[in-house]
Amino acid sequence: MLPQAPPAPRNARGQIRRVGVEIEFAGLPPADTAHLVRELFGGELNAVSPHRLRVDNTRWGRFVIELDTQYAHPDREALDHQAEGDDEWARHRHQLRVEFHEKTRELIGDMVTGLVPTEIVCPPVPWNELDELDRLFDALREHGAKGTDASLLYGFGLHLNPEIASPASHDIHAMLRAYLLLAPWLREQIQVDITREVLPHANPFPRDYALKVLAANYRPGLLGLIDDYLDHNPTRNRELDMLPLFAHLCPEHPHELLHSELTQPRPTFHYRLPDAQLSQPGWGAVSEWNRWVEVEKLAADRRALAKRSAAYIRYYRRPFYRRWTDRLRHLFHSA
């Protein structure tokens, strides 16, 4: 499967847009996964800690492979804490504390391996090379990696971080409108696993926020768009998490979520909806990218975007009983 071209294949600097990919899975520990990444893409293997490894200097950059829990990794603040005193005994006590901390985190990681997922954070890849990255997904399957549907306990996801084509507020607004309109279709196409539906990591947007953003007279600047988003979505747990992008575009904004350690500013949309469907042969980053491109196509067609937004608003402004009657009639005729 080949990646579809988006309406805007290049960014504002004229470069091919890139896509960050993050994948969670079980059945393959970080060390084995890191060796697999190096076999596929070359580079240099470096162990940051027993359960966090890097593969540096691949053709695209750095891969990070780790257990997806902070408690399996040494805390940077604890490691950087200075010894209390300059004498040899103080330095010795400090070194003992550091070694105890590192060993404790390693033991925690050993205990939870197999219970928490392994995560691969891939470097940004040009969208037209995503099919080459899919070699990784095929190799993971072949080496026993398990995705979301392998167990009711697995709520694993695949995240895409498509680089924005334009930083203009009206373009970002159009993308957000298109996503709100296509979110039900995306969920139907992906057939989101019940485990991930129950977990909060990729919650849908509130209906009142969608109605606000899709209104024809809603034309905010960047600051207004950010403020309204934060007012209605004071959380990272949205199927399309806009916080990293907003933190990048408006670093001086005072809201605490935009300065959280977990919010990494970057010029991308953080698309969190897809499951990790590793049990399906042929599934990979290209599959989800091609679905995402449908959002970009709708955003680029301003006439269709306006028409569908108006239809959405007309439908959800109707009384609930009318909408419910229409839904039952549709289900009856489609049965």
Side-chain angles (χ1 to χ4, degrees):
M1 183 184 298
L2 295 175
Q4 292 185 17
R10 296 181 179 270
N11 60 26
R13 301 182 303 279
Q15 302 165 330
I16 293 289
R17 291 169 57 203
R18 298 182 299 168
V19 186
V21 179
E22 305 166 28
I23 174 71
E24 302 167 334
F25 53 89
L28 204 61
D32 294 346
T33 303
H35 284 284
L36 183 60
V37 170
R38 185 177 61 174
E39 289 176 11
L40 289 170
F41 305 121
E44 303 158 5
L45 182 60
N46 293 295
V48 180
S49 63
H51 301 289
R52 175 180 288 148
L53 302 97
R54 301 195 316 250
V55 180
D56 296 315
N57 299 320
T58 73
R59 59 182 291 188
W60 297 307
R62 172 183 293 171
F63 287 80
V64 177
I65 304 98
E66 62 184 7
L67 284 181
D68 191 20
T69 172
Q70 60 180 335
Y71 302 110
H73 313 295
D75 185 285
R76 178 51 54 189
E77 184 176 343
L79 297 183
D80 292 342
H81 184 73
Q82 299 298 314
E84 297 178 0
D86 294 330
D87 58 280
E88 184 176 348
W89 174 236
R91 289 192 295 272
H92 180 64
R93 284 186 300 169
H94 173 68
Q95 184 61 33
L96 288 175
R97 283 195 295 268
V98 168
E99 291 175 358
F100 178 77
H101 174 78
E102 291 178 330
K103 190 61 179 178
T104 300
R105 292 301 175 96
E106 179 181 355
L107 290 173
I108 291 173
D110 291 343
M111 292 171 59
V112 302
T113 296
L115 300 177
V116 302
T118 297
E119 180 180 37
I120 304 175
V121 179
C122 304
V125 174
W127 66 263
N128 57 350
E129 298 179 20
L130 284 172
D131 55 321
E132 298 179 46
L133 181 66
D134 270 1
R135 294 166 52 204
L136 173 60
F137 293 79
D138 295 336
L140 290 172
R141 266 188 291 272
E142 293 170 3
H143 285 77
K146 305 298 182 183
T148 310
D149 53 357
S151 170
L152 289 174
L153 300 177
Y154 293 167
F156 305 152
L158 173 112
H159 299 175
L160 294 183
N161 296 281
E163 182 182 9
I164 59 173
S166 163
S169 60
H170 61 272
D171 290 326
I172 295 168
H173 179 204
M175 284 291 296
L176 189 52
R177 292 174 72 193
Y179 185 85
L180 290 167
L181 291 168
L182 289 181
W185 175 81
L186 288 167
R187 285 180 172 271
E188 181 180 335
Q189 291 294 307
I190 296 169
Q191 298 182 335
V192 179
D193 189 89
I194 185 62
T195 306
R196 297 194 72 236
E197 290 280 15
V198 172
L199 295 171
H201 307 311
N203 285 342
F205 286 96
R207 181 66 45 71
D208 59 340
Y209 177 67
L211 290 169
K212 181 182 185 69
V213 171
L214 295 172
N217 61 354
Y218 182 68
R219 299 186 181 90
L222 177 61
L223 188 58
L225 189 66
I226 294 174
D227 286 342
D228 288 336
Y229 180 92
L230 291 168
D231 185 48
H232 288 81
N233 307 280
T235 176
R236 298 176 61 245
N237 296 327
R238 287 286 180 261
E239 54 195 335
L240 181 64
D241 177 14
M242 299 291 287
L243 296 181
L245 175 57
F246 289 154
H248 168 78
L249 293 174
C250 196
E252 70 280 5
H253 197 288
H255 198 286
E256 59 182 8
L257 273 178
L258 298 184
H259 302 279
S260 166
E261 183 179 348
L262 297 176
T263 300
Q264 300 179 18
R266 55 197 175 204
T268 68
F269 300 100
H270 186 39
Y271 175 43
R272 300 162 58 98
L273 184 59
D275 292 340
Q277 299 174 350
L278 284 169
S279 64
Q280 297 185 16
W283 175 86
V286 172
S287 306
E288 302 304 341
W289 164 258
N290 287 348
R291 291 182 178 128
W292 169 262
V293 167
E294 295 303 312
V295 177
E296 299 208 3
K297 288 179 179 178
L298 179 57
D301 187 343
R302 295 296 207 265
R303 181 174 297 181
L305 187 61
K307 184 177 180 179
R308 293 185 63 165
S309 295
Y312 181 101
I313 291 171
R314 282 196 304 272
Y315 179 78
Y316 283 106
R317 292 297 188 197
R318 300 174 67 191
F320 171 78
Y321 69 89
R322 293 288 300 276
R323 286 187 275 122
W324 185 247
T325 301
D326 289 347
R327 181 173 298 181
L328 289 176
R329 187 181 297 118
H330 173 75
L331 291 173
F332 177 79
H333 287 298
S334 61

